[in-house]
């Protein structure tokens, strides 16, 4: 079974700073996807960024980028020029491509951006 | 499309009562997932369907929980009888069969069992 671990329950940074959220996972699969989801106080789950395991290039979406280290099974999220609206819970998730295509989530990191 | 629609948004019920949560997935999506979110356990997958067929219900905590998907546009999660420890936010999500697709989540139902 796959497991996803987020070792930082909470983080706090000042507005405009850069912050990195950590995620590690355990799997014997070779083909899979990794995701970061954001959950603001509104409770809505919003996809931030995704990474295909077969791609060596790290995914980037505007201020959000990942550092994907397949051999180390590490998938960190970097938020540059952080904004107050980035305050939310962030969940790392894993989905294998063969067989059961279900999302397995980490415990989440509560990120607070301070003015 | 209006996205994944869940109802009700909030539900407060007394212990022992039956609770039914509803979900309308995005039209055309082949997969439907039910998750439960609590502070202690985070996001847990309860059950998921593919083309209306339950594929994996190993996350359903007890026989008190049941889920159905009678057609491609509707699913229910039922708890009977409900207990205080069932209090949580229940999310429904759907996604397309294609590999490069994300799961879209509903707004969730906050269930409180008193």
């Amino acid at each position: 079974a796959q497991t996803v671990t987020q070792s930082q329950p909470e983080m706090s940074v000042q507005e405009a700073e850069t912050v990195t959220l950590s995620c590690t996972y355990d799997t014997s699969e070779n083909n899979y996807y990794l995701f970061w989801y954001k959950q603001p106080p509104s409770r809505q789950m919003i996809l931030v960024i995704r990474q295909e395991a077969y791609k060596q290039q790290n995914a980037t979406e505007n201020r959000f980028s990942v550092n994907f280290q397949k051999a180390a099974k590490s998938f960190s999220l970097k938020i540059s020029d952080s904004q107050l609206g980035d305050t939310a819970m962030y969940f790392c998730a894993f989905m294998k491509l063969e067989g059961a295509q279900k999302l397995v989530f980490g415990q989440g990191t509560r990120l607070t951006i301070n003015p | 499309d209006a996205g994944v629609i869940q109802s009700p948004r909030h539900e407060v019920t007394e212990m022992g009562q039956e609770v039914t949560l509803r979900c309308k997935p995005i039209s055309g999506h082949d997969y439907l997932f039910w998750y439960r979110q609590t502070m202690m356990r985070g996001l847990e997958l309860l059950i998921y369907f593919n083309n209306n067929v339950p594929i994996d219900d190993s996350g359903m905590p007890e026989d008190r929980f049941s889920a159905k998907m009678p057609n491609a546009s509707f699913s229910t999660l039922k708890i009977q009888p409900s207990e205080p420890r069932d209090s949580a936010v229940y999310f429904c999500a759907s996604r397309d069969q294609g590999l490069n697709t994300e799961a879209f989540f509903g707004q969730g139902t906050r269930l409180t069992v008193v």
Side-chain angles (χ1 to χ4, degrees):
Chain A
Q2 289 76 33
T3 59
V4 179
T5 302
Q6 294 179 247
S7 59
Q8 305 150 312
E10 294 187 26
M11 295 189 72
S12 178
V13 298
Q14 295 299 120
E15 191 176 7
E17 289 183 347
T18 293
V19 60
T20 299
L21 309 183
S22 302
C23 173
T24 58
Y25 57 95
D26 186 24
T27 185
S28 58
E29 301 286 327
N30 192 46
N31 297 315
Y32 50 87
Y33 276 83
L34 295 163
F35 304 85
W36 279 98
Y37 275 85
K38 168 185 177 181
Q39 186 181 40
S42 67
R43 207 165 75 198
Q44 181 69 52
M45 293 286 286
I46 303 165
L47 178 69
V48 175
I49 198 166
R50 90 187 91 200
Q51 174 80 43
E52 295 93 330
Y54 65 86
K55 288 187 176 179
Q56 293 186 335
Q57 186 174 5
N58 289 323
T60 299
E61 290 286 343
N62 300 313
R63 298 183 295 108
F64 299 87
S65 62
V66 299
N67 183 4
F68 172 49
Q69 301 290 328
K70 190 172 184 179
K73 296 180 182 175
S74 170
F75 183 61
S76 62
L77 174 70
K78 185 172 82 170
I79 306 174
S80 303
D81 185 26
S82 58
Q83 301 175 358
L84 297 179
D86 296 333
T87 293
M89 282 287 289
Y90 286 81
F91 292 95
C92 179
F94 171 99
M95 184 184 79
K96 65 179 184 178
L97 296 189
E98 296 174 8
Q101 293 184 8
K102 59 185 181 182
L103 280 171
V104 177
F105 286 91
Q107 286 288 88
T109 297
R110 183 176 301 280
L111 175 64
T112 301
I113 309 299
N114 299 306
Chain B
D1 200 311
V4 177
I5 300 173
Q6 290 186 246
S7 63
R9 285 294 308 276
H10 306 274
E11 176 80 33
V12 180
T13 191
E14 292 185 347
M15 182 174 63
Q17 296 296 307
E18 176 181 298
V19 176
T20 299
L21 310 182
R22 297 173 175 79
C23 175
K24 182 181 186 310
I26 293 174
S27 177
H29 280 190
D30 307 280
Y31 284 89
L32 184 138
F33 306 86
W34 282 100
Y35 284 88
R36 178 173 69 176
Q37 184 178 27
T38 61
M39 287 293 290
M40 293 298 295
R41 302 174 69 94
L43 276 159
E44 304 172 275
L45 177 66
L46 300 178
I47 185 172
Y48 78 97
F49 297 82
N50 181 213
N51 292 322
N52 312 340
V53 176
I55 302 300
D56 183 354
D57 65 354
S58 60
M60 297 286 260
E62 299 170 36
D63 291 345
R64 298 184 296 105
F65 286 69
S66 63
K68 294 181 180 179
M69 192 165 185
N71 56 62
S73 59
F74 185 65
S75 177
T76 59
L77 178 68
K78 183 179 296 185
I79 308 172
Q80 165 64 18
S82 58
E83 297 183 4
R85 60 194 168 117
D86 301 331
S87 297
V89 178
Y90 291 81
F91 284 99
C92 176
S94 71
R95 64 180 286 265
D96 188 82
Q97 185 96 349
L99 293 178
N100 191 26
T101 59
E102 66 183 272
F104 292 84
F105 284 75
Q107 291 276 68
T109 295
R110 179 176 294 281
L111 173 65
T112 303
V113 183
V114 298

